[in-house]
Every structure is written in C-alpha cells, then in structure tokens.
Amino acid sequence: MLKILSSTAAAESSSFDRSRRRDGEDNVQWLVRNGLNREDGTLVLLIGSRGHLPFRLRVAQSHLRHDLTPSYWSHVALLGPVGDDPASTTLYEISFEPPGGFAVPTTTNGLQRGRLGTYEDATQHPNIALLRLPVAAEVWQAPTTAGQISVLERYQKQRSVLDATELLLEWLAFLWGVGHAGNPLLDGRGIPSAAMIESLLNASGYDLTPSLESRASCPEAVWQAAKWWHPYYGDRNAAPIEGFWHTGHKIEL
C-alpha cells in the first residue's frame, strides 16, 4: 500500500491556473506564452503523453488519486536556462524512451540531458504544466563555494542517497511486462525522473511533494503539491508553487 497524506486545503491553489492551449499552438509556444522566459525560480515541466509506456505510467499512479482514476501525467523534468531558442532548452530528466538510448546510466545516476523540443508536439503530448518553484536555479546548478561541486554534480556521483539506475530497471521491468514485475510505486519506489528531481530539490532545501516520501515521488504527486499543498508552504512562510496547466487528454474508464 502506498502511504500518502491528504492536504488540508479546502480549495485549489490560486497561484496554479488553467491556461487552455490555443488552436494550432504547440507545447513550446504554450510554455513561452505562460512565462517560460521569466528568469526567476526553478522551472519544472509536467507532461502527459499518449503511447504504450505513458499509458502504463498514468494508470500506475492512479493509487495516489482518491477516485483511482489514471493520472494526467506520465513524465516530469527540470528545465535549465532558457535561451533565444526555447526548444533547445536543456531538460534534466530520466526518460523511459530517451531519443539517444540509455548508454551506461550508472555514470550519471540515470540523469539525462534532453531538449524541450522533444515534447513540442501537442498531439503526442497533450497534457502540459509549467511549475515555478521559489528556489533560485543557481542553488542546484552552481557550486556553492569555490572548490566544491554543485548539487547537480553531487547527485550524479552519490548513488547511496538515491540509486536512480536501480529504480529505472525496476520500472522498465514493470512497463515492459517482464516476469512477475508489479507496480513499483506500491512499494514506495518512485518514478525515476520525479525521484531524481526530489533529490536535487531536497538537497537545495525545498520539499516538492509533502504528501509522500521523496523516494516515492511521481508526476501525480508533483501535480497534487502544486494544486493542493499551498497551505503547507504558507505555514512555513514559503511562497506557493506558481504556474499554469492544460489537460487536453483524459484516459477514460
């Protein structure tokens, strides 16, 4: 059984709003329109995709929802600095279908550097959300003092804190239907990309998903934190998660 807490909030966060996609608008255009180019805070991207593996991921997260319906979300990633070409923005992620293959994931503790343009297609990736966290990106991207490595670099060398490569293999076994592999989330084994982001942010002093243990993190938990856990951050004199979302696809029961 997955141990998850419920928020005490009576209403959704007013800082996290719906922004409908315009006709013909791709995901990069939607992100730019909703503040992608702002230079404050840390940006987190939620994606809900179509396809075999995304379907299984979205259904696997239904255990976090009180009505047991499939999640809108199949993936989460951290965004690097946004330049003149937003589609080329670096994503820090652990994808189950990386365009260049997995190579040897142990050398980076599973961390992949992708491109935002990979998720540009609004038909293939109909659900999208942009979260802005009150954490300066330099906190996890840059060394704190001379002679030290950054939180991002330390994560890749410190598998004793979170072994994302092990998580990756467990989830691939489940997603590919290997042997008797069950849903890792029910054993508190989070979806790798979400667990990686939690590890980075925790090391930076920020709790992204108060509802469950960091190692059990998943895109659905990130979504619930943005929508419902604003009182938690307010009680700690912290700004709530800000952002926008659009959900154009729901898996019908």
Side-chain angles (χ1 to χ4, degrees), residues 46-106:
L46 280 172
I47 290 289
S49 303
R50 302 176 190 269
H52 189 92
L53 298 191
F55 172 84
R56 287 180 58 79
L57 284 163
R58 291 170 65 177
V59 171
Q61 295 172 87
S62 63
H63 293 274
L64 278 80
R65 298 174 59 85
H66 73 280
D67 56 5
L68 294 180
T69 56
S71 174
Y72 289 116
W73 312 105
S74 55
H75 189 51
V76 60
L78 268 177
L79 277 75
V82 181
D84 294 335
D85 178 13
S88 296
T89 300
T90 298
L91 295 184
Y92 299 98
E93 61 182 342
I94 302 178
S95 170
F96 291 113
E97 300 177 284
F102 290 104
V104 183
T106 49

Side-chain angles (χ1 to χ4, degrees), residues 2-24:
L2 184 62
K3 297 179 180 179
I4 183 169
L5 301 176
S6 297
S7 170
T8 58
E12 299 178 8
S13 173
S14 60
S15 300
F16 190 52
D17 299 322
R18 184 175 187 175
S19 176
R20 293 181 182 274
R21 187 186 285 112
R22 295 172 179 171
D23 290 344

Side-chain angles (χ1 to χ4, degrees), residues 110-125:
L111 180 70
Q112 305 157 4
R113 285 173 171 79
R115 290 177 65 256
L116 182 57
T118 301
Y119 305 102
E120 187 171 28
D121 188 336
T123 301
Q124 182 61 30
H125 312 288

